[in-house]
Amino acid sequence: RRPPKEVFSKVVSFSQAEMNNFSTASLVTRSTNDIQQIQHSFVMILRVVVFAPLMAFGGIFMVMSTNVGMAWIIALAVALVFTIIISLLAVAMPRFKRLQLLIDDTNRIVRETLSGLPVIRAFNTQKHERQRFEEANAELTKTSLFVNRTMSAMMPLMTLIMNLTALLIVWKGGYAIQAGKMQIGDMMAFIQYSMVIMSFLMITMLSIMLPRASVSAKRIMEVLNTENVLLSPEEKAQFPHGVKGEVSFEEVGFCYPGAQSESLHSISFKAAPGTTTAIIGSTGSGKSTILNLIPRFHDISSGKLLIDGVDVREWDLKELRQMVGYVPQQGLLFSGTIASNIAYGSQDIPQAEIEWAAEVAQASNFIAEREGQYESRIAQGGVNVSGGQRQRLSIARALAHRPQILLFDDSFSALDYKTEQLVRSRLCEELSEATVIIVAQRISTILHADNIIVLDEGRIVGQGRHKELLEGCRVYQEIAMSQLSQQELSNHG
């Protein structure tokens, strides 16, 4: 038996490719309910597995030594017991597997409802969500009742067999006593020894729990036996002159698992330390995918992705991600304090560095207004702060350990123009040696980038500075004209 912490560690180690094989609700159920089923079964095994066999074999031995002529009664009773057990398990086993899947579904609906409460209320779909839950819960209840009723029938049937066995012994023993072949004391002793069936009765208690535990064990082993696609190499890359953070894409292609076509085609560009590279394009063009390849959330399908001239797959995963500061599209915060969220990447970051990161991210002003300041509480998911505040804290978290590579995945969308300008200017001042790659939807965010990459359907259709792209890239021109007025285009051009 593997401890629950090993299951959790395995789930945490999954890349997106493995996560796609299991739903979040299923992983929650496997990490909690399935493990609980196995724990309950082991408690029963420890109580019964030694006592019951000893009692059974001892009883059989004494029966055989007392009166072999009536041993067939015990054999018949045991055969009936096992017939009932096998029949009930054949009916219940498929339902046990379905039961765990229904728990997954119920768990998923509850999670979705709790996460989407604002949307549900905004669209007045409480009745629809209640119906979804009631349908899932009704199916779970129906299956659970069927399984419990089926397995509950086992105990009265076992008791009936036990009493009928005693009755049969008395009936046969009465004739034997009348014929002078058996003493009354021998018959009473035989009845006591025949209570060996009680040990089988105890085993049936295990048979109620073991099938469900068996299903749970298989589900847990599916998680534990899943092989990680993304692993650190056996030999780590060596950097005698230190890590600089230069990122180079060379004809990189990428295809999501299960997809029929590539999401990225022949992506080539270089992002040098001390420069800002911006990526812009329509929705679904592959901007975020490029960023996700750098910290190796996915592995490239073709071409080369190099960091400091070394293939990213030759880097130790922990070292690679320590040098990357990543700010996702949706700023996710964890329950705790503001300080613990900013210092999330390295818990030994001094307070001065936490305050510095907050100041650069323009979060220090609103932190100072909160009661407790850096020790003020953050609710799960950061629901007690605004979207802009959540985004600034996410930026501060990425900056706190002073990474060599900074990745911003449309991370300024919730900020007003003034705050965005302040954040970017402070980044240029404080992290002038870092490699900065920004994914953005707004032209104003990337106007002054050293290199702007324009994506369209997973391909680079333009690359250069803002002025160059305005003159020579049709896709960039369309984006610019949709966001900027003619006067702004003239001024920036």
Side-chain angles (χ1 to χ4, degrees), residues 26 47-48 71 88 91 126 135 141 185 205 227 244 270 278 287 333 336 344 359 377 381-382 387 412 440 451 471:
S26 178
R47 290 179 179 176
V48 176
L88 291 177
V91 173
Q126 291 95 328
E135 288 174 358
T141 304
M205 294 171 63
E227 294 186 6
K244 297 177 182 178
K270 183 177 288 186
K287 305 183 296 297
L333 300 181
Y344 187 75
E359 185 183 350
R377 302 300 300 176
F412 303 106
N451 185 29
E471 295 173 354

Side-chain angles (χ1 to χ4, degrees), residues 198-267:
M198 279 295 295
S199 62
F200 291 103
L201 192 63
M202 295 173 68
I203 292 173
T204 61
M205 294 171 63
L206 276 181
S207 68
I208 294 172
M209 301 189 70
L210 285 178
R212 189 169 181 182
S214 173
V215 171
S216 296
K218 289 177 182 176
R219 283 161 54 88
I220 290 170
M221 291 309 297
E222 284 176 6
V223 174
L224 293 173
N225 292 334
T226 300
E227 294 186 6
N228 292 64
V229 176
L230 303 180
L231 296 172
S232 295
E234 294 181 3
E235 295 184 8
K236 298 179 183 179
Q238 300 296 320
F239 302 93
H241 302 295
V243 176
K244 297 177 182 178
E246 182 182 74
V247 179
S248 180
F249 281 71
E250 297 180 2
E251 298 295 319
V252 168
F254 174 73
C255 181
Y256 282 102
Q260 296 181 349
S261 59
E262 287 191 331
S263 301
L264 298 175
H265 311 268
S266 303
I267 303 297

Side-chain angles (χ1 to χ4, degrees), residues 294-309:
I294 296 171
R296 213 180 154 205
F297 296 153
H298 302 283
D299 267 342
I300 61 176
S301 304
S302 59
K304 289 184 179 180
L305 171 53
L306 310 174
I307 295 181
D308 287 347

Side-chain angles (χ1 to χ4, degrees), residues 63 66-67 69-77 161-177 182-197:
V63 164
T66 302
N67 191 319
M70 288 201 300
W72 64 270
I73 298 175
I74 305 298
L76 177 63
I161 289 172
M162 185 176 67
N163 291 320
L164 288 175
T165 301
L167 186 63
L168 188 58
I169 291 170
V170 172
W171 180 60
K172 292 293 294 182
Y175 283 109
I177 292 169
M182 180 185 287
Q183 299 295 321
I184 293 176
D186 290 339
M187 186 187 73
M188 296 305 296
F190 193 85
I191 291 174
Q192 293 299 316
Y193 296 145
S194 70
M195 290 303 101
V196 64
I197 300 172

Side-chain angles (χ1 to χ4, degrees), residues 47-354:
R47 290 179 179 176
V48 176
V49 77
V50 176
F51 177 70
L54 286 176
M55 186 176 173
F57 288 120
I60 290 170
F61 174 77
M62 294 304 296
V63 164
M64 297 299 293
S65 62
T66 302
N67 191 319
V68 178
M70 288 201 300
W72 64 270
I73 298 175
I74 305 298
L76 177 63
V78 172
L80 285 173
V81 167
F82 278 106
T83 301
I84 291 171
I85 291 173
I86 292 170
S87 300
L88 291 177
L89 291 184
V91 173
M93 273 297 284
R95 298 298 182 102
F96 277 123
K97 187 171 184 180
R98 177 162 173 73
L99 188 65
Q100 296 305 109
L101 294 174
L102 289 171
I103 293 173
D104 287 350
D105 288 341
T106 307
N107 192 1
R108 173 181 55 79
I109 291 170
V110 171
R111 288 185 74 257
E112 287 178 352
T113 303
L114 294 176
S115 300
L117 273 177
V119 177
I120 292 168
R121 288 168 180 162
F123 287 90
N124 288 318
T125 55
Q126 291 95 328
K127 186 176 180 180
H128 170 70
E129 293 302 321
R130 191 182 301 114
Q131 185 178 351
R132 282 180 68 211
F133 175 77
E134 286 175 357
E135 288 174 358
N137 192 46
E139 187 67 21
L140 175 60
T141 304
K142 179 182 174 182
T143 305
S144 190
L145 284 173
F146 176 85
V147 168
N148 288 328
R149 285 168 180 166
T150 302
M151 302 312 289
S152 296
M154 193 176 292
M155 295 301 287
L157 287 173
M158 296 301 106
T159 305
L160 178 64
I161 289 172
M162 185 176 67
N163 291 320
L164 288 175
T165 301
L167 186 63
L168 188 58
I169 291 170
V170 172
W171 180 60
K172 292 293 294 182
Y175 283 109
I177 292 169
Q178 188 177 13
K181 297 179 181 179
M182 180 185 287
Q183 299 295 321
I184 293 176
D186 290 339
M187 186 187 73
M188 296 305 296
F190 193 85
I191 291 174
Q192 293 299 316
Y193 296 145
S194 70
M195 290 303 101
V196 64
I197 300 172
M198 279 295 295
S199 62
F200 291 103
L201 192 63
M202 295 173 68
I203 292 173
T204 61
M205 294 171 63
L206 276 181
S207 68
I208 294 172
M209 301 189 70
L210 285 178
R212 189 169 181 182
S214 173
V215 171
S216 296
K218 289 177 182 176
R219 283 161 54 88
I220 290 170
M221 291 309 297
E222 284 176 6
V223 174
L224 293 173
N225 292 334
T226 300
E227 294 186 6
N228 292 64
V229 176
L230 303 180
L231 296 172
S232 295
E234 294 181 3
E235 295 184 8
K236 298 179 183 179
Q238 300 296 320
F239 302 93
H241 302 295
V243 176
K244 297 177 182 178
E246 182 182 74
V247 179
S248 180
F249 281 71
E250 297 180 2
E251 298 295 319
V252 168
F254 174 73
C255 181
Y256 282 102
Q260 296 181 349
S261 59
E262 287 191 331
S263 301
L264 298 175
H265 311 268
S266 303
I267 303 297
S268 297
F269 70 90
K270 183 177 288 186
T275 64
T276 298
T277 302
I279 305 174
I280 195 169
S282 59
T283 302
S285 59
K287 305 183 296 297
S288 297
T289 303
I290 289 178
L291 286 198
N292 290 335
L293 295 176
I294 296 171
R296 213 180 154 205
F297 296 153
H298 302 283
D299 267 342
I300 61 176
S301 304
S302 59
K304 289 184 179 180
L305 171 53
L306 310 174
I307 295 181
D308 287 347
V310 176
D311 193 303
V312 73
R313 287 166 290 193
E314 296 178 18
W315 279 74
D316 177 73
L317 274 175
K318 186 176 180 180
E319 292 180 1
L320 171 65
R321 290 169 183 171
Q322 278 179 339
M323 69 177 293
V324 174
Y326 176 70
V327 188
Q329 278 181 311
Q330 297 180 342
L332 175 66
L333 300 181
F334 299 91
S335 56
T337 64
I338 287 177
S340 68
N341 271 279
I342 295 176
Y344 187 75
S346 179
Q347 296 301 318
D348 58 354
I349 294 177
Q351 183 66 24
E353 287 294 294
I354 293 174

Side-chain angles (χ1 to χ4, degrees), residues 276 356 359-362 395 399 406 408 412 415-433 436 438 444-445 448:
T276 298
W356 167 83
E359 185 183 350
V360 174
Q362 303 302 306
I395 294 170
L399 301 177
L406 273 168
F408 297 97
F412 303 106
L415 305 182
D416 59 86
Y417 184 70
K418 180 182 176 182
T419 304
E420 180 189 330
Q421 290 279 20
L422 289 171
V423 172
R424 287 194 286 107
S425 63
R426 288 302 304 276
L427 282 174
C428 293
E429 294 172 12
E430 301 289 342
L431 293 163
S432 58
E433 297 300 316
V436 180
I438 300 174
S444 58
T445 303
H448 305 291

